[in-house]
Amino acid sequence: MSITRELRESVPVEIHTDERRIYGANPQERTRPSTHSARSREAKYRIVKQQFSVNRQGFGGQPLLSHLDVVHSQELEAQYGGQYEWFWGVPGVFQALAAPLTGQMVPAAPETNDPHEQRLGYWGALHYLLLHRLGWARPDRGLRWWYDQGKPAQDPTMALILAVWDADGHVDAYLAWLLKGQPVFLAPESQPWAEWPTEREPLPDRWVRWAADIERAGELSESKYFLGGWDPLHLSGHTGEGGEPDPASTLTVTSRTERRAVFVTDTMNAWHYDLAKKASKLPEGNKPPWRVDVFVRPVGFLGTYRKSYQTGLWFTGRHSYHAAGN
C-alpha cells in the first residue's frame, strides 16, 4: 500500500559534549516544503563523534485516515509498533540509529495547523525510544538525571534525542508531563500501559519550580500539547508491546564463548517482551551479560541488547544511562 509522506526542511545542528551551536534558522522560522516536492533538504547532525543525516517527516496519513479499518489493523500495528497514529514515526528513528548517515525519516516538530496525529507521532517516537531502547521504566528519573548531568550525548539514543527533540525545544514539555504523575512503565508480562503511583516521590525544590515554569510557559504559548488533562496525548496507554508475540520468532546463539545471540521476529508491537521471554532460557552465570542483536523484519536492526543485572530489564547502549531511568 502506498502512503503519501510529507517532508519538511530541517536545520543543521552541530553538538559537542560541552556546547551546542545551531546554524541557520531557528525552529520557529523553519519552512515547510510543498507536499508535491520530490525532495527535501538533508539535516546533518554531529553529536560528539556520532553524525546523523536525517530528514524530517510530517504525518502523511490522509489516505489512511479515510480507512480507519486499515489504520487500526493488526497487520499495520505489528509493522509500526502499535496504533498507527502514535507509532508512524517509530521505524524511522530506529533506522536513523542503525544507519546514521543515510537520511532516514524522523518526525518533524508539530506546527500549529498540523493534524493531531503529527503531535502523537512526534512524541510517541520519543517515548518509544526511552522505553524500548534505553529500557527506562521511569523516564522521569532518567530525563532529570540527563538534565542534571548537562545533557550528555555519549549514548547514541540520547545523541539522537538531543539532535531532534531537544534541538526542537520540546523535551521540556514532555518531561514536565512525566514529573506531574511519575508514571511507571515496562511492567512484567508486557503490560502495554503505564502504572500511575498513588504516592509520588518528592522532587527537589528546583525541579518543582522548573516544572511550574514550563507549565506556565506552555499556557502562554501555542505549545499546549501536554495541557488539558492528566495524559492529553494518551502516551501512557500507547507504549508499544500491545500485540501478540510472533510464534515464528527465533533466538539463535552465535557464540557461546562471547555470549552473543541474534533475535529475529516479524512483530514490532511485541518484540521486547518476546525477547525477554526467549532470552530467559539462555545460560546464566557470573559472566558478562548476553549481547543479543535484535532484528524486526518490517523495520530492520533495532540494536544490540543486553539484560541489566541491576534492573532485570533489556536495553541497548550504556548501562549508566539505562540505570538512571530506573
Side-chain angles (χ1 to χ4, degrees):
M1 176 174 55
S2 174
I3 299 174
T4 302
R5 288 179 174 172
E6 176 182 357
L7 306 182
R8 296 186 180 175
E9 181 180 15
S10 192
V11 178
V13 178
E14 184 174 359
I15 302 175
H16 300 273
T17 354
D18 56 348
E19 65 175 346
R20 184 176 69 200
R21 292 177 290 170
I22 301 180
Y23 302 95
N26 62 41
Q28 287 72 32
E29 297 171 340
R30 296 178 188 177
T31 58
R32 188 174 176 181
S34 166
T35 57
H36 301 292
S37 173
R39 297 181 181 178
S40 70
R41 296 183 182 178
E42 279 190 344
K44 293 184 179 178
Y45 300 95
R46 178 167 297 162
I47 301 123
V48 191
K49 295 182 180 179
Q50 175 95 47
Q51 185 175 4
F52 290 95
S53 176
V54 297
N55 287 304
R56 307 303 294 275
Q57 178 184 8
F59 178 75
Q62 291 302 327
L64 293 172
L65 289 175
S66 63
H67 301 285
L68 293 180
D69 56 327
V70 176
V71 174
H72 299 291
S73 71
Q74 292 182 353
E75 181 180 355
L76 200 63
E77 292 181 11
Q79 291 177 6
Y80 283 88
Q83 189 173 329
Y84 180 74
E85 292 93 330
W86 279 266
F87 292 86
W88 58 264
V90 168
V93 295
F94 276 95
Q95 290 157 4
L97 285 160
L101 301 179
T102 56
Q104 299 299 324
M105 306 293 288
V106 299
E111 298 174 1
T112 304
N113 296 323
D114 281 339
H116 189 51
E117 291 82 2
Q118 184 66 32
R119 303 172 178 86
L120 300 181
Y122 179 77
W123 274 291
L126 168 64
H127 195 56
Y128 195 95
L129 286 178
L130 297 179
L131 300 186
H132 298 299
R133 262 189 69 95
L134 294 178
W136 281 1
R138 287 289 303 272
D140 61 306
R141 289 178 181 169
L143 286 177
R144 277 202 295 127
W145 168 85
W146 190 56
Y147 274 55
D148 287 341
Q149 298 298 314
K151 298 182 179 178
Q154 289 83 1
D155 181 275
T157 304
M158 295 312 301
L160 182 62
I161 289 171
L162 187 69
V164 177
W165 291 269
D166 190 70
D168 290 337
H170 286 321
V171 178
D172 287 355
Y174 172 75
L175 175 54
W177 167 71
L178 289 171
L179 294 176
K180 184 184 298 185
Q182 299 178 0
V184 182
F185 299 90
L186 302 180
E189 299 182 1
S190 185
Q191 180 171 300
W193 55 83
E195 295 178 352
W196 297 89
T198 54
E199 294 185 8
R200 291 174 293 167
E201 61 186 45
L203 297 174
D205 289 343
R206 60 189 176 83
W207 274 106
V208 173
R209 293 192 298 269
W210 180 89
D213 288 344
I214 295 300
E215 187 165 353
R216 279 194 297 271
E219 292 170 348
L220 295 173
S221 71
E222 295 178 345
S223 301
K224 299 180 180 180
Y225 308 121
F226 287 95
L227 302 177
W230 198 250
D231 184 12
L233 295 182
H234 305 288
L235 292 178
S236 63
H238 292 85
T239 64
E241 299 299 289
E244 294 294 327
D246 176 9
S249 65
T250 60
L251 179 65
T252 305
V253 173
T254 56
S255 174
R256 292 185 178 273
T257 304
E258 298 180 2
R259 295 170 73 84
R260 298 297 301 258
V262 175
F263 175 73
V264 181
T265 178
D266 280 333
T267 305
M268 187 64 182
N269 62 345
W271 69 268
H272 205 169
Y273 170 67
D274 195 17
L275 166 66
K277 184 176 181 180
K278 281 187 167 56
S280 66
K281 299 177 182 179
L282 292 171
E284 292 289 348
N286 297 323
K287 294 182 179 181
W290 284 87
R291 295 180 181 270
V292 181
D293 294 330
V294 175
F295 293 86
V296 178
R297 287 191 180 94
V299 176
F301 177 60
L302 301 193
T304 300
Y305 283 73
R306 54 195 166 116
K307 180 180 178 181
S308 168
Y309 290 133
Q310 179 180 333
T311 67
L313 297 172
W314 284 82
F315 71 99
T316 185
R318 295 191 170 202
H319 189 270
S320 59
Y321 283 71
H322 166 72
N326 288 288

